Amino acid sequence: AQSVTQLGSHVSVSEGALVLLRCNYSSSVPPYLFWYVQYPNQGLQLLLKYTSAATLVKGINGFEAEFKKSETSFHLTKPSAHMSDAAEYFCAVSLMIYNQGGKLIFGQGTELSVKP
Amino acid sequence: KAGVTQTPRYLIKTRGQQVTLSCSPISGHRSVSWYQQTPGQGLQFLFEYFSETQRNKGNFPGRFSGRQFSNSRSEMNVSTLELGDSALYLCASSLGQGFRGVNTEAFFGQGTRLTVV
């Protein structure tokens, strides 16, 4: 069965510091991988996606993620945190199987705090 | 281009009642998925509709149902509400093309916050 694990439910960084949010997946078939961000009382916004092209994926707001098949990981990074990055971040997987592509499986989320 | 619209944004219902939530996808999108978000269980997939047919279903009781209309708008219904149904219900739309229904980019609405008292 496929699953997503996000290491650390809360991460705190200082403004200007590196942001690293960890995501590991388990899948028996090649996955599509996504990172979403959620601000309070809002829906989810797509940050970036991996769809079997380049393994290093650049997204919006300066975020990027690297797909590492050998480590089954898809960690999210940003070189320099801004106060506006404080939010909850979700890693998700969907599968290249017949009729399963429309289903997203989410990790438990990581709440990012940014200290001034 | 208008985004995904969910109505209403907030709802308060009493145990035992039923509720209907609505989702209007982005124009041209044929796939609509529904998710339940709670602090304890996180984001859980309810079901997906594509061209008026349920294509995928999560592990929820039969009290949770949905449908999709010919214009791709979707509704979900929860009957005999329980306290544990209190959650943020999110709708996502995507093109959903191809036999795999590959979801390469899902756009989410702002959600409907349901409180059951």
Side-chain angles (χ1 to χ4, degrees), chain B residues 31-43:
Chain B
S31 168
V32 174
S33 299
W34 289 88
Y35 296 84
Q36 182 196 64
Q37 185 177 25
T38 60
Q41 299 299 315
L43 279 154

Side-chain angles (χ1 to χ4, degrees), chain A residues 60-77:
Chain A
I60 62 171
N61 301 338
F63 285 94
E64 65 180 38
E66 186 172 8
F67 173 70
K68 292 187 176 180
K69 185 178 179 181
S70 61
E71 298 177 10
T72 61
S73 69
F74 190 57
H75 301 330
L76 181 71
T77 60

Side-chain angles (χ1 to χ4, degrees), chain A residues 42-92:
Chain A
Q42 298 293 317
L44 302 176
Q45 181 183 10
L46 181 65
L47 280 176
L48 48 79
K49 61 184 180 183
Y50 166 76
T51 57
S52 74
T55 56
L56 181 62
V57 180
K58 294 189 184 299
I60 62 171
N61 301 338
F63 285 94
E64 65 180 38
E66 186 172 8
F67 173 70
K68 292 187 176 180
K69 185 178 179 181
S70 61
E71 298 177 10
T72 61
S73 69
F74 190 57
H75 301 330
L76 181 71
T77 60
K78 181 174 180 177
S80 176
H82 294 165
M83 296 297 292
S84 60
D85 294 328
E88 189 150 23
Y89 292 80
F90 293 93
C91 182

Side-chain angles (χ1 to χ4, degrees), chain A residues 32 34 36 38 41-44 46 49 90 94 96-104 106 108, chain B residues 9 33 35 37 41 43 45 48 55-56 88 90 99-106 108-110:
Chain A
Y32 280 179
F34 308 84
Y36 283 88
Q38 185 178 35
N41 297 317
Q42 298 293 317
L44 302 176
L46 181 65
K49 61 184 180 183
F90 293 93
S94 70
M96 289 285 289
I97 315 175
Y98 177 69
N99 274 350
Q100 294 287 309
K103 173 182 178 179
L104 285 170
F106 286 90
Q108 284 295 96
Chain B
R9 288 292 311 278
S33 299
Y35 296 84
Q37 185 177 25
Q41 299 299 315
L43 279 154
F45 173 79
E48 183 215 2
R55 186 160 67 174
N56 215 328
L88 180 67
L90 292 165
F99 78 96
R100 287 169 173 163
V102 171
N103 187 346
T104 57
E105 191 155 0
F108 283 79
Q110 292 196 311

